[in-house]
C-alpha cells in the first residue's frame, strides 16, 4: 500500500465521519457510541411502517402510541451520561 492510498482512505473516512454522525471518530467513547446505535435503531423503527406495526402488535399498543414511545426513548436511549473525570 502506498502513502497516497493511505491518504486517500483517511480523507474518505474523515469525509464520512463529517457527513454521518453514526460513523464515529477516534474520540468517541462507549456511551456516545451506544447512544448513536440506539437512536439509529429507533429512527429506523419509526421510519419503516411494517416494523412499527410489528412492535405495536407485539406490545398490544396502537401504532401511534408505539411511535410516541420510540420518540420518547430517543431522548435518553441509554440513560444519563456517566460522570466525566477531568484530570
Amino acid at each position: 500500500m502506498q502513502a497516497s492510498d493511505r491518504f486517500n482512505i483517511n480523507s474518505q473516512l474523515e469525509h464520512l465521519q463529517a457527513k454521518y454522525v453514526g460513523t464515529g471518530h477516534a474520540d468517541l467513547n462507549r456511551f456516545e457510541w451506544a447512544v448513536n446505535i440506539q437512536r439509529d435503531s429507533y429512527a429506523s423503527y419509526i421510519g419503516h411502517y411494517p416494523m412499527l406495526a410489528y412492535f405495536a402488535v407485539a406490545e398490544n399498543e396502537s401504532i401511534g402510541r408505539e411511535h410516541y414511545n420510540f420518540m420518547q426513548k430517543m431522548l435518553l436511549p441509554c440513560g444519563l451520561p456517566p460522570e466525566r473525570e477531568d484530570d
Side-chain angles (χ1 to χ4, degrees):
M1 182 178 275
Q2 297 178 2
S4 62
D5 292 339
R6 280 191 226 124
F7 176 73
N8 189 19
I9 290 170
N10 286 336
S11 66
Q12 288 176 357
L13 183 60
E14 288 175 6
H15 175 71
L16 280 175
Q17 290 170 346
K19 189 173 181 181
Y20 302 107
V21 176
T23 55
H25 52 81
D27 297 328
L28 193 68
N29 64 25
R30 184 176 181 168
F31 177 78
E32 291 170 346
W33 178 80
V35 166
N36 284 339
I37 296 297
Q38 288 291 335
R39 284 189 177 148
D40 287 347
S41 296
Y42 290 136
S44 178
Y45 301 155
I46 292 169
H48 294 92
Y49 186 81
M51 187 63 111
L52 187 61
Y54 173 79
F55 280 115
V57 169
E59 295 183 10
N60 197 23
E61 293 282 351
S62 68
I63 293 173
R65 174 57 62 184
E66 280 302 308
H67 185 274
Y68 176 78
N69 289 341
F70 286 145
M71 292 293 285
Q72 291 299 312
K73 288 179 183 178
M74 286 177 74
L75 295 175
L76 288 173
C78 299
L80 295 173
E83 296 291 323
R84 292 191 179 226
E85 297 178 10
D86 294 331
D87 293 341

